[in-house]
Amino acid sequence: NFAIALATNSAGAYADRAQARERLGDLAGARTDFDQALQSLRFGIPEPKVGQPGGSLTPTNYAGDPKAMVVATYASLYLRRAGGEYALQDWVAAQADCDQVVALQPNFSDAYRLRGMVRLYRHQDWLIALHDFNRAINLDPRNVAAYADHFGLMCQMGDTNAAAADREKALELDPKLAADPAWKLPGK
């Protein structure tokens, strides 16, 4: 609050407060702060057009490329807001923000993963969710959360072979998951 009082147009201060509100369970307040962060960012930096090169969200890719940093900043804020909208079960807003992230940064694995979850809950469309989960895994083969979502969907679809492969890969990446009952294969 103090940082926002000092700089009322600070996108970073609003994003930080949004994150704090998320941790405290104030998802509606976090959404408002993410909205304000995006608005404040637009005040200082025009929003990039879809298709403008942006690279990935890795800060090391920004050296000498301020446009990439702008795209990554917008994409990050949209994805963080989408996560809160997902938690609030505002499927329309969450999907719109995920779609915006994918449009800005088509190689951002977590955007596809979250969009797959939104599509699964919003439309109950297993195939389109599966496409997004597969894209997330193809973009980042170390994305354990994408394997978890894919695993869950494969279990729902009754494809125990694919579910077992997801489980094996996730456990290879994070052996501590073996103790989590969520990773139990159906019928085992």
Side-chain angles (χ1 to χ4, degrees), residues 46-129:
E47 186 164 357
K49 293 185 175 32
V50 170
Q52 188 171 336
S56 72
L57 289 177
T58 309
T60 56
N61 293 347
Y62 301 156
D65 191 355
K67 283 185 181 180
M69 188 167 115
V70 169
V71 170
T73 301
Y74 272 101
S76 177
L77 287 172
Y78 277 117
L79 187 64
R80 289 171 65 190
R81 185 172 70 178
E85 292 161 343
Y86 174 84
L88 289 168
Q89 297 182 2
D90 185 346
W91 311 128
V92 173
Q95 183 169 340
D97 279 350
C98 286
D99 289 344
Q100 185 67 16
V101 175
V102 167
L104 289 170
Q105 290 202 307
N107 294 325
F108 192 14
S109 175
D110 281 334
Y112 288 97
R113 186 192 69 75
L114 182 57
R115 187 173 74 175
M117 291 301 294
V118 169
R119 287 174 162 177
L120 187 59
Y121 285 106
R122 180 179 179 196
H123 303 291
Q124 300 296 307
D125 188 334
W126 292 5
L127 293 180
I128 200 153

Side-chain angles (χ1 to χ4, degrees), residues 149-160:
D149 295 336
H150 194 270
F151 169 84
L153 184 55
M154 292 295 94
C155 289
Q156 285 181 334
M157 294 174 73
D159 188 343
T160 55

